[in-house]
Amino acid sequence: MRGNENIFQELWETVDGLPVVDTHEHLTPESMRVETTGDFFSIALAQYAGSDLISAGMTPKQLETLLGHEVAFEDKLNIFMPFWEKVSNTAYSRVLAVAARGLYDIDEISRESLPELNKRVAEKNKPGLYKEILQDKCRIKYCLWDQSFTGYPKKDDFFRLSLRLDDIVFVNSAEDIKSLEHKYNVSISSPEGLEEIMEVRISNNKPRGLTAIKTALAYNRTLHFETVSRAEAVLSMDHILRNRFTEADVKILQDYMMNSLMLKAFWHNLTIQVHTGLQEGSGNVIYHANPALLSTLVSNHPATRVDLFHGGYPYGGELSAMAKMFPNVYIDMAWLHVISPSFVRRYLPEWLDTVPVSKLMGFGGDYTFVEGVYGHLQLAKENITCVLADKVADGVFTMTDAKRYAKMMLYENPDSLFM
């Protein structure tokens, strides 16, 4: 699969030393992380790998026990190991094994090794952990941070803020509007009131290093946003406020607000990051998240930069078409390398065949814990190197091309998109 091994090795030496712009993280602030007394299980299973354990038959109660602090480590081991044997093949699990080896010198995750791994995680859980892993080991120059911890991050050259405004777009009832009024201490009687909150939140967060706006509405509704007039939105919102509304009214107002958000992103020179494809967790409506559903929205806002997340998994072909057809659409591989490395190796060659390489974002960790970022980045570098090596071996790219494209995907493209 690696084509010529010598080509792979030469490329790997270049790729492994490249600087990286990390397009997406949910990291717990280091100050909170180092204050916790959590063990390996409560840190590493709170995201992604825990979903695979549930998929393999672990009960939610068992996972809750692993994430908690009431049960002894040995008892947690007894719960964990039978299921680890079922999920150790997945990329979510592989990330943990890669991080254990690369950060803590533990060759494999097993019943015998886990007590020592747990001890080493605790020993390193102190200030400076994030710099050591993210900057020193991963060579990440900065990352876009999607989280809501109050006051964090402050203006920072390493953490750039990606702001969520979904609570303003995803209005379902009069109660939702009342909740926004209470949250922002305003009176809202029209879509203009919702738009004003958006404007205030964007303006207030610019001093914190605001770089992008993130939307994850694909977890809750279809990504098909239609063209809606202001008059239609006003009428639908009036129906909602009077509790005399239909599902059509709700969609009209949400569609209008999403179009408004696209305009505000353009006015403030911000990129919109959109969750497409697989939703984390257990159970959802995957076809709601097909990136092709965004065609109307992105065509109506050709000057707004739209960064489509997660490789659209499993809709890789649709994503190819979107990024090829629309100059304002970009492909982002955040989370993707740990969803399915084989998907990346199947679709990155297609994206390189169909989409300008300047529109490909190579890495976003999408983790709450810093070890996950490290493990994910190793998989990302391996995938990118493998695909480019095959292109060189097939005579499609020169070695010089491949090295340049790798640097573009991992550093130059996101650095330009999120300038």
Side-chain angles (χ1 to χ4, degrees), residues 360-373:
L360 302 178
M361 310 298 134
F363 175 73
D366 208 351
Y367 269 92
T368 58
F369 60 99
V370 70
E371 291 89 347
V373 180

Side-chain angles (χ1 to χ4, degrees), residues 28 39 56 118 150 178 180 213 218 279 309 314 383-384 393 409:
T28 299
D39 57 22
N118 190 55
T150 302
K178 288 179 182 177
L180 289 170
I213 296 172
Q279 301 101 339
F309 268 13
N383 285 336
I384 290 169
M409 286 188 281

Side-chain angles (χ1 to χ4, degrees), residues 163-166 169 195 198 202 213-215 217 255-267 270 272 301 304:
L163 180 66
R164 288 214 193 194
L165 298 171
D166 285 352
V169 176
E195 291 172 310
M198 279 185 179
I202 291 171
I213 296 172
K214 165 73 187 299
T215 177
L217 290 172
D255 288 1
Y256 176 84
M257 292 307 302
M258 188 63 193
N259 278 276
S260 178
L261 183 61
M262 292 284 285
L263 283 172
K264 289 190 180 297
F266 166 68
W267 292 335
L270 299 170
I272 291 276
H301 301 276
T304 302

Side-chain angles (χ1 to χ4, degrees), residues 137-406:
K137 288 186 177 294
C138 292
R139 298 185 180 86
I140 294 173
K141 295 301 181 182
Y142 63 89
C143 70
L144 273 68
W145 186 83
D146 173 7
Q147 195 48 271
S148 57
F149 295 101
T150 302
Y152 186 90
K154 296 181 174 62
K155 178 65 175 176
D156 190 302
D157 288 335
F158 185 77
F159 288 106
R160 316 285 175 89
L161 180 62
S162 183
L163 180 66
R164 288 214 193 194
L165 298 171
D166 285 352
D167 60 334
I168 304 171
V169 176
F170 192 65
V171 170
N172 284 292
S173 66
E175 288 302 314
D176 286 345
I177 295 172
K178 288 179 182 177
S179 176
L180 289 170
E181 289 180 326
H182 177 73
K183 183 176 180 179
Y184 298 108
N185 193 28
V186 295
S187 177
I188 303 171
S189 59
S190 69
E192 183 177 6
L194 295 173
E195 291 172 310
E196 288 174 356
I197 298 173
M198 279 185 179
E199 185 66 29
V200 168
R201 288 201 64 195
I202 291 171
S203 298
N204 287 349
N205 279 285
K206 279 193 168 181
R208 297 175 63 205
L210 180 59
T211 304
I213 296 172
K214 165 73 187 299
T215 177
L217 290 172
Y219 279 85
N220 306 106
R221 54 152 288 164
T222 174
L223 286 178
H224 178 48
F225 296 94
E226 299 177 83
T227 306
V228 175
S229 70
R230 177 172 175 75
E232 291 174 305
V234 168
L235 182 60
S236 289
M237 186 163 175
D238 182 65
H239 291 166
I240 291 170
L241 287 168
R242 294 173 183 271
N243 281 313
R244 297 177 181 174
F245 64 93
T246 65
E247 289 185 8
D249 287 314
V250 170
K251 187 174 187 302
I252 286 170
L253 180 59
Q254 291 179 3
D255 288 1
Y256 176 84
M257 292 307 302
M258 188 63 193
N259 278 276
S260 178
L261 183 61
M262 292 284 285
L263 283 172
K264 289 190 180 297
F266 166 68
W267 292 335
H268 289 277
N269 193 29
L270 299 170
T271 298
I272 291 276
Q273 298 181 311
V274 184
H275 178 105
T276 67
L278 181 71
Q279 301 101 339
E280 158 69 345
S282 301
N284 211 310
V285 185
I286 185 62
Y287 57 81
H288 280 176
N290 187 328
L293 294 171
L294 291 162
S295 295
T296 300
L297 186 70
V298 299
S299 63
N300 283 344
H301 301 276
T304 302
R305 301 184 301 272
V306 184
D307 186 34
L308 298 186
F309 268 13
H310 316 317
Y313 179 90
Y315 302 106
E318 289 86 342
L319 188 58
S320 298
M322 289 291 291
K324 188 173 185 66
M325 288 192 301
F326 297 107
N328 58 324
V329 170
Y330 300 79
I331 292 175
D332 199 314
M333 287 174 261
W335 189 24
L336 186 61
H337 302 278
V338 298
I339 294 175
S340 173
S342 62
F343 180 90
V344 178
R345 297 186 188 196
R346 186 162 74 249
Y347 276 102
L348 181 53
E350 176 178 319
W351 296 335
L352 286 166
D353 286 343
T354 58
V355 177
V357 67
S358 59
K359 301 178 78 178
L360 302 178
M361 310 298 134
F363 175 73
D366 208 351
Y367 269 92
T368 58
F369 60 99
V370 70
E371 291 89 347
V373 180
Y374 171 86
H376 188 176
L377 182 56
Q378 305 318 301
L379 268 61
K381 289 178 176 180
E382 185 177 311
N383 285 336
I384 290 169
T385 303
C386 180
V387 169
L388 290 173
D390 284 345
K391 291 284 192 183
V392 173
D394 291 343
V396 178
F397 297 156
T398 67
M399 178 63 75
T400 300
D401 288 336
K403 291 178 179 180
R404 179 165 61 91
Y405 297 156

Side-chain angles (χ1 to χ4, degrees), residues 18-132:
L18 287 174
V20 174
V21 171
D22 182 341
T23 64
H24 186 58
E25 292 297 350
H26 296 277
L27 288 168
T28 299
E30 185 186 76
S31 59
M32 295 177 64
R33 163 68 187 265
V34 300
E35 288 174 357
T36 65
T37 56
D39 57 22
F40 167 82
F41 296 116
S42 63
I43 292 170
L45 302 184
Q47 191 185 23
Y48 301 148
S51 296
D52 278 351
L53 292 171
I54 293 292
S55 182
M58 180 178 281
T59 67
K61 181 64 176 178
Q62 287 174 313
L63 180 58
E64 182 182 340
T65 298
L66 293 177
L67 297 177
H69 307 285
E70 294 77 24
V71 175
F73 190 81
E74 183 63 33
D75 293 330
K76 287 187 175 186
L77 267 177
N78 292 332
I79 296 172
F80 175 73
M81 285 312 302
F83 291 99
W84 176 251
E85 293 169 1
K86 298 178 180 180
V87 305
S88 60
N89 61 292
T90 71
Y92 286 170
S93 300
R94 183 181 166 198
V95 163
L96 304 184
V98 169
R101 184 167 55 252
L103 298 175
Y104 299 109
D105 295 320
I106 298 293
D107 288 336
E108 64 176 357
I109 294 177
S110 65
R111 179 181 290 275
E112 293 72 29
S113 69
L114 273 167
E116 181 61 26
L117 174 58
N118 190 55
K119 176 185 173 185
R120 294 183 188 183
V121 169
E123 289 172 347
K124 281 203 171 186
N125 194 42
K126 56 188 178 182
L129 176 68
Y130 280 26
K131 181 182 183 302
E132 177 186 349

